[in-house]
Amino acid sequence: MCVNYLSIPKQTLLTRFEAAPPDEDWPAEVWQDYKAPILVAGDMARQAIVANYGFLPQHKLPQGTRYSTMNARAETIGELKSYRGAWRSSQLCLVPMLGFFEPCYESGKAVRHQISLASGEPFAVAGIWRSWEEGNGQLSYSFTQITINADEHPLMKRMHKPNDEKRGLVIIPERDYDAWLDCTNPELARAFLKHLPAEQMQTTEKPIQRTRPATGHLFEVDQ
């Protein structure tokens, strides 16, 4: 499952996703507990907020606990304690990106691949989000991406270890952005959880790069 991805520049939020950019900065490449923009339904239009990648941020967990919530399985999202409140409350979001990374073992070892649109354009994947009340009375936010089985998907089934279940992120078509964000029925929301056709996607081998801390460094990515 995806554990890191390439986010988008601020201006792209406005020009591509029709949402006013937040004041906060974020890094180009996003990992667990990094901050990144997500899109949520606003009163009159889409709203972009900066949120923690990982539904349960590490600093919210008991000391010494390691628990990854970067991905939520569609099959159990409505039952697991971590996610069910947000899912049943239809706290749906879009995670805008330029590409996400997965390991491919076709060579016999893990080779990092970037998955993106064949067109090279930015896109958005399905997720859920929640808010946290901090000690100073302000709110912070976190999110997770939704994954679905990919055993039969021509591209995504090539990723991960040979005997592992294949999983993939849900790329929401641009025409469905607002329908997804505005959906208030969890069962109807499941209709959006399907794969983009493989011919609309591409994969490129991308050796891992040393990344910088998530503060103050914008879009310094080797592509």
Side-chain angles (χ1 to χ4, degrees), residues 106-124:
E106 291 175 338
S107 67
K109 61 181 181 179
V111 178
R112 185 176 186 246
H113 279 245
Q114 178 180 324
I115 313 297
S116 55
L117 294 189
S119 65
E121 297 176 333
F123 58 97

Side-chain angles (χ1 to χ4, degrees), residues 1-23:
M1 291 181 285
C2 174
V3 297
N4 86 292
Y5 67 91
L6 296 177
S7 190
I8 60 170
K10 282 191 174 185
Q11 187 60 26
T12 304
L13 277 173
L14 185 61
T15 59
R16 180 72 181 183
F17 296 98
E18 301 177 1
D23 292 333

Side-chain angles (χ1 to χ4, degrees), residues 7 66 92 96-97 102 106 127 133 136 141 145 177 183 192 194 197 199 209-210 215 222:
S7 190
R66 298 295 300 176
L92 308 179
M97 60 182 68
E102 302 283 7
E106 291 175 338
E133 186 172 351
N136 59 8
Y141 306 95
Q145 300 168 139
Y177 285 172
C183 185
F192 293 89
K194 53 190 176 183
E199 58 268 22
Q209 302 289 331
R210 291 287 181 181
T215 55
D222 297 325

Side-chain angles (χ1 to χ4, degrees), residues 8 10 24-28 212 214-221:
I8 60 170
K10 282 191 174 185
E24 300 100 315
D25 291 335
W26 56 86
R212 299 180 178 181
T215 55
H217 298 285
L218 294 178
F219 306 101
E220 302 173 40
V221 162

